[in-house]
Amino acid sequence: MSDMSLQLTKDHRDSDLLQKELLALLDELVNLEQKVVTDAHNRLDKYLPYFDAQIPNLSAVNLAHYLSIRHTDLRPLQKRLAHVGLSSLGRSESAVAYSLRSIIELLARATNSTLRDEADAQARLLSPEKSAQLIADHCAHLFGPLPASRNTYIMVTLPSDAAWNGQLIESFMAKGMNCARINCAHDDAIQWQAMINHVRQAEEKLKLPCKILMDLAGHKIRTGSIKSGPAVKHIKVNRNVYGRLVGPTDILLDEEHAETSDSSSDIYRYRLTLPRALHTQLAIGDRLRLTDVRGKKRDIVVVGQRSAKQWLAQCTQSIYLSTETELTWQRKNKKDKYHTLGEFTPCPFEGEAEEIRLFEGDPLFLSAIPEHGSPARFDENGIIVAPARISCNPPQAVHNLKPGEPVWFDDGKLGCVVESVNEEGVLLVVTHARPKGVRLKEDKGINFPESEIN
């Protein structure tokens, strides 16, 4: 047989295989389309009471199609579609039914097949062009008109500092923030409300609109609390990216043994409890002069009164304060010079959580017993004699772990593997960490990607 005949035979065989693959893809896509349309109708019937109109609009129908198709693992199908040169549905979100039907019709023509029109006719009205216009309309309705200087909106996730630093939010808006995102997996309702208040104040001051997105937290397995370290309070000041002071730091001065039901005071990052003998005699303009634990001279100045039991004070320099730090109470005389009225120490307070820093190869005990976490203990030669410990919340999540299974902390910043298991918990060994180590904190997410934890 000649080389030409061999080539013709091979081409014919390849053509037959391609035809069979195209027919198989057509059959799969028709079935997928039917499943998506049927499932979408069921979803829409369930949520119909929430629509203003009795007939859901095109956007709602497309959302139902999208939710349906997301429940199917499309990866094997996508590879096969790409292999024959067709769209892999990777960008079909804005017009799901239209994208499916377009590929189906192409396959039907390529295989000389006849289609039964089972697609949702209303959804097929949502072409990519129509979808793009709807997205633009919805964005304008939600966020307002696009800024004249750009064709995108800017959303900024607010840090915890935004609860007590209104100037931070004002700077975000001045730089172009159109939407402030509050991550409800962190902080609490009091801090969230403070952030919202700061956004509204910045809107009024700058005469600029800003939407607020509340991103709700889902269920998450997290690390437990960590034992407190030395009783030292680090009061920081607000600085910009250039390190320049942008404003004084607020400090709430509470009265010893006083009970307050005013939850709004919780938005203050720094609070200090003073002896009643000092607190009841304070006045606006008084200052508390001190030498902090580093030997730095610092001043805390009283600037206002929130209630009978709470004064508001400010400082303009960072302070490291202990429960033994001596506070010299001073007030200006008629000559506008400060004179000393007394000396006190602050009421006892707890220190910040101890640092648990882990490096590759370090052991870590993940406890199934609720307890305060603690760093590793070392002997005089620097050898670990007791591993760092951290509890798991909820504790029962660790009961089904097995040796060799991976465990990840804090969105993948720290990676470990299970070495052994006992009734109290599991012993892990760190496998992934930055060269400078990773600080493991409380309330950070824990992930068991290969474990059956029920």
Side-chain angles (χ1 to χ4, degrees), residues 62-73:
N62 184 65
L63 176 59
H65 287 141
Y66 172 74
L67 292 174
S68 176
I69 203 168
R70 287 286 291 177
H71 278 73
T72 302
D73 185 0

Side-chain angles (χ1 to χ4, degrees), residues 7-158:
Q7 184 63 43
L8 288 172
T9 301
K10 182 178 181 302
D11 290 346
H12 182 73
R13 185 168 60 249
D14 290 347
S15 178
D16 287 344
L17 290 174
L18 177 60
Q19 191 73 358
K20 289 180 180 178
E21 174 65 357
L22 294 179
L23 285 168
L25 285 169
L26 176 61
D27 187 55
E28 280 190 50
L29 285 167
V30 168
N31 290 334
L32 176 62
E33 180 187 51
Q34 185 58 49
K35 173 183 175 296
V36 166
V37 170
T38 301
D39 185 45
H41 277 306
N42 294 336
R43 290 176 185 274
L44 290 168
D45 287 343
K46 179 180 179 181
Y47 294 109
L48 191 61
Y50 298 97
F51 289 105
D52 292 333
Q54 289 301 307
I55 300 177
N57 60 33
L58 291 177
S59 295
V61 173
N62 184 65
L63 176 59
H65 287 141
Y66 172 74
L67 292 174
S68 176
I69 203 168
R70 287 286 291 177
H71 278 73
T72 302
D73 185 0
L74 296 176
R75 288 173 295 180
L77 177 61
Q78 288 177 315
K79 288 181 179 179
R80 291 166 58 201
L81 287 170
H83 185 69
V84 298
L86 294 173
S87 168
S88 63
L89 298 171
R91 295 182 176 273
S92 63
E93 296 93 341
S94 59
V96 174
Y98 186 95
S99 300
L100 273 174
R101 177 51 50 161
S102 296
I103 301 174
I104 287 171
E105 290 179 348
L106 283 171
L107 285 168
R109 292 191 183 98
T111 57
N112 293 318
S113 301
T114 302
L115 294 174
R116 290 181 298 170
D117 192 8
E118 298 176 348
D120 189 329
Q122 184 186 23
R124 283 201 288 155
L125 294 174
L126 187 60
S127 65
E129 294 77 18
K130 177 66 174 176
S131 172
Q133 184 58 53
L134 282 174
I135 290 173
D137 293 343
H138 292 328
C139 284
H141 179 72
L142 185 61
F143 297 108
L146 268 170
S149 58
R150 61 180 191 267
N151 60 359
T152 58
Y153 298 96
I154 296 177
M155 179 174 70
V156 179
T157 299
L158 300 182

Side-chain angles (χ1 to χ4, degrees), residues 170-218:
E170 187 178 317
S171 68
F172 288 160
M173 288 183 59
K175 292 292 185 181
M177 177 174 71
N178 306 110
C179 179
R181 173 180 176 263
I182 297 176
N183 184 358
C184 297
H186 303 284
D187 307 307
D188 58 32
I190 295 171
Q191 278 76 30
W192 304 334
Q193 184 63 60
M195 294 177 190
I196 292 169
N197 293 342
H198 286 147
V199 171
R200 297 303 178 222
Q201 290 165 8
E203 279 185 315
E204 186 174 344
K205 180 177 180 180
L206 300 175
K207 307 301 180 185
L208 294 171
C210 184
K211 298 292 183 178
I212 295 173
L213 169 67
M214 305 289 287
D215 198 340
L216 302 183

